[in-house]
Amino acid sequence: MSAPIAGANAEANGDKNATPVKVKSLSKSFGQQKVLKGIDLEVAAGQTLSVLGRSGTGKSVLLKLIIGLEKPDSGSIFVHGEEVTKMPTKELNEVRKKVGFLFQQAALYDSMTVEENVAFPLRRHTHLSDSERKKRVRELLASVGMDHDTQKLPSEISGGMQKRVGLARALALDPEILLFDEPTAGLDPITASEIDDLIVKLQKERHITSVVVTHDIHGARTVSDRLALMRDGEILIQGTFDDLQKSRDPFVVQFLKGC
Amino acid sequence: MHVTYIVVGVVVVLAVIAGISMLPDLIRYMKMRSM
Amino acid sequence: MIAQPAFFLFGLAAASSATPVDRGGIVSGIGDLTIKFFEWFGNLSFFCGRLIRAAFTPPYEIREFFHQFDELGSKSLPLVALAGAATGVVLTLSTRDSLIRFGAKSFLPAVVVFSIIKESGPIITGLVVSGRAAAGIGSELAAMKVSEQIDAMEASAVNPYRYLAATRILACMLMLPMLTLVSDFCGIMMGWVANNAAEPISLRLFIQDGFKSVDFSDLLPSTLKTIIFGLLIGLIACFQGMNATGGTEGVERAATSSVVLASLFIILADVALVHLILVFFP
């Protein structure tokens, strides 16, 4: 795979041997509603953890808390051993450069073309020349299968294509950790499994640690090494897919139905 | 969170209103002092 | 001293049009409204704090600033020119009528030029740009907020307060005096055209008479006060946009509330600024 970009991960703070993502006793509420009640999670290096649960529970909030877009009420989050929860913005930004985030609707900048969207992090955080940057953008888009239609605006491409571009943008700075917010939401089954396959392929090639938040059990089964099922803001059960299948809890059985 | 906003809001609004209404007098006072 | 409570009630009326209030009776409605009014100001103050911190730390988004400057300026120019021209015509014709009654027709050029430069130009430009720019910025940023683009930007370690808000606000602030000058020019020229149509007068005479009693200390403060207008437009539009919630309806609410609040604050600020200018430049 392509070599890491000089300048993007220059300050590799934190212990490389520490767990990539660790969440301890995390709690968060919005107004009266408690969406996370003392969550504990850990993702081993190079592995994929899927966080499952019913739609509308605190799953997306968990991802936003990991990169500091929201602050928790209590608890702590560690990225490569560094505590993210109380970090000042400057250091938080360094952490953010090492974490790629694929948003639910891809969140592509709608005034920029596909190419400009993927070039945005490179333009901002690296010192590549114009031609080097263009080359890198083409590589990234090719790796997600979007090397056509690069001059189109996000509104002119389909949902599946937007997600691919979003993924390319998330990979721009060679992150060690990827966060996925409902990667297959709103996609037809064929496109959804294409995206899932793409995720698996990229993880194998780049040895990335991932956290995938989803309500799609099929997709979760394909891409993850471990799964965590949430209910009412708490983790009901955590383990491999086989572990979950062995459970007799009615909620788990219902969730896994048809799988 | 909400209460913080409200308190700061009250302070800001009162400060702005007070400032604007007192400014002409303040300027006149400073002019007289420099004379 | 009568002004203060008047401003307060005016502001209250604006708050009601900008924020949704649940129907719970008149008295609780007013109490609710007052609380929302102060909460809005508090929220705005924190926004300003974040904005100032972002605006004065590197990396400065010069490129994006010029892009916004160009967008706002070139898109507003035709509208401002038209509004200025129309105001010039209307002002000339109606003033001419009044002056004739006082037997002071020869003062027409001077009155027209004076009014346009001191008041009509700035306020009309301010309100017109408020309509266009505030709605544009408000809806653009609201759409970005609602589709998580602002979150995405923060997650890419780019400060949205700097990249999105500060650039737009600065662009508004610097654009507005220039647009005001354009509006003044169009107004004065069309003023001459209207005057000429009613009763032939050479352009040379019109300009000479018009600018005889107007000097630089009339032009400069009035044009510079539009910088404050620009600040208000940019600030309110960015604030309403970046705090939008709830899909397309949220975008619509952000756009309309931006225009309403920006226009309102411009009018209130104009009153205060005119007072201040009179004190500084008697």
Side-chain angles (χ1 to χ4, degrees), chain B residues 8-21:
Chain B
V8 173
V10 172
V11 170
V12 166
V13 170
L14 290 177
V16 167
I17 291 182
I20 293 183
S21 51

Side-chain angles (χ1 to χ4, degrees), chain C:
Chain C
M1 312 320 122
I2 310 175
Q4 275 73 311
F7 285 172
F8 185 76
L9 290 170
F10 213 5
L12 223 50
S16 72
S17 67
T19 58
V21 179
D22 23 60
R23 320 257 146 239
I26 285 286
V27 178
S28 69
I30 292 183
D32 209 28
L33 210 56
T34 322
I35 294 193
K36 284 216 152 86
F37 173 72
F38 287 117
E39 198 183 341
W40 187 83
F41 265 102
N43 210 344
L44 184 64
S45 314
F46 278 104
F47 181 82
C48 288
R50 273 175 249 144
L51 188 68
I52 291 177
R53 222 180 312 144
F56 290 106
T57 51
Y60 304 109
E61 309 284 353
I62 309 277
R63 203 157 167 265
E64 179 67 14
F65 163 69
F66 279 113
H67 180 227
Q68 287 306 318
F69 196 65
D70 176 42
E71 284 269 323
L72 278 154
S74 51
K75 301 260 171 77
S76 313
L77 194 66
L79 194 57
V80 163
L82 190 65
T87 313
V89 172
V90 169
L91 196 66
T92 310
L93 293 178
S94 56
T95 317
R96 181 164 184 273
D97 203 39
S98 323
L99 287 180
I100 286 177
R101 279 183 223 202
F102 292 110
K105 202 171 56 176
S106 58
F107 283 121
L108 186 59
V111 171
V112 164
V113 169
F114 191 75
S115 312
I116 288 180
I117 288 184
K118 284 224 85 164
E119 262 323 295
S120 309
I123 196 79
I124 294 288
T125 311
L127 291 175
V128 160
V129 174
S130 158
R132 211 214 148 274
I137 293 177
S139 56
E140 187 184 359
L141 292 183
M144 287 182 81
K145 172 76 164 66
V146 156
S147 57
E148 294 187 304
Q149 285 173 55
I150 299 192
D151 281 338
M153 199 172 276
E154 254 191 284
S156 310
V158 175
N159 188 338
Y161 292 97
R162 198 184 299 129
Y163 188 83
L164 295 173
T167 51
R168 283 174 172 74
I169 294 178
L170 204 62
C172 282
M173 283 172 74
L174 294 182
M175 200 19 62
L176 229 57
M178 299 193 196
L179 289 173
T180 307
L181 288 175
V182 170
S183 168
D184 288 345
F185 176 77
C186 292
I188 292 174
M189 289 314 283
M190 287 311 283
W192 168 68
V193 169
N195 196 3
N196 199 32
E199 177 191 320
I201 175 174
S202 75
L203 181 60
R204 181 161 174 220
L205 189 61
F206 187 86
I207 300 277
Q208 211 161 336
D209 277 350
F211 283 89
K212 222 184 330 193
S213 41
V214 175
D215 66 49
F216 199 62
S217 70
D218 291 317
L219 175 67
L220 197 65
S222 302
T223 311
L224 288 184
K225 78 180 177 186
T226 54
I227 294 182
I228 309 279
F229 293 171
L231 173 65
L232 289 169
I233 292 175
L235 187 63
I236 290 173
C238 286
F239 178 67
Q240 293 292 116
M242 288 175 80
N243 287 323
T245 51
T248 10
E249 207 189 84
V251 174
E252 183 247 323
R253 243 181 293 136
T256 42
S257 65
S258 297
V259 177
V260 168
L261 290 170
S263 308
L264 183 83
F265 276 97
I266 285 178
I267 295 176
L268 293 178
D270 196 33
V271 175
L273 284 166
V274 165
H275 269 97
L276 273 170
I277 290 177
L278 284 174
V279 169
F280 274 108
F281 301 88

